[in-house]
Amino acid sequence: MAYARRRTLLAGAALGGAALLTGCSEDSGPGRPEHSAAAERLRKRSARDSSALLARYDATLAAHPALESRLRPLRAEVARHAEAFGDDRPAASPSGGASDGPAHDAGAPASGPSPQDARSSGPAVPQDERAARSALADAERRLADARTKALLAAPPELARLLASVAAAGAVHAYLLAERAG
């Protein structure tokens, strides 16, 4: 009996939360236009932040090729985040691809950096694989926290995108920290 009540309570809370979010999202409000200069600056900063994180993934992959199977899916998500924020340049991967991309502008060469290149021109990467994963997790966590704080000033559509990408970043940080083996 208690199990059924708990399930009903949880389902009601979920539906109530969804209704509340839907109701709030319909009102864009006069003071929060989607295409204001502040919203555009926030969108561009978010694209740059994703590009910088992408460069960190590229540098880590170049320095630690053994981590490729673990990092490649997360890196692909970060590249999609940069694109979602309006960074329409193609996201090059460390294994080659496009001649220019977000990683290039963030300090990492776009066309297959060598480990020496990644260490000299891109973000610093710890030599220990576990420490490198931990550094990526910290970067993901810091960016997710910053995006969560930015939600208050963002117009509705951008706030939804920031919330989604912040949640993904928090999950990435968790996965990077958990994958110790």
Side-chain angles (χ1 to χ4, degrees), residues 28 38 149:
S28 61
K149 289 176 186 171

Side-chain angles (χ1 to χ4, degrees), residues 45-54 78 81-82 85 143 147:
R45 184 175 70 232
S46 297
R48 276 192 314 271
D49 290 345
S50 289
S51 295
L53 184 59
L54 189 62
V78 171
H81 298 162
F85 284 118
L143 189 52
R147 287 178 170 159

Side-chain angles (χ1 to χ4, degrees), residues 81-150:
H81 298 162
E83 291 172 17
F85 284 118
D87 193 346
D88 2 321
R89 295 166 291 179
S93 70
S95 60
S99 62
D100 200 8
H104 177 72
D105 290 342
S111 58
S114 68
Q116 296 82 9
D117 290 342
R119 288 190 186 119
S120 64
S121 65
V125 177
Q127 290 186 0
D128 177 62
E129 284 185 5
R130 182 173 283 194
R133 270 195 333 272
S134 179
L136 270 176
D138 290 344
E140 286 272 18
R141 197 173 297 109
R142 281 190 306 272
L143 189 52
D145 290 346
R147 287 178 170 159
T148 301
K149 289 176 186 171

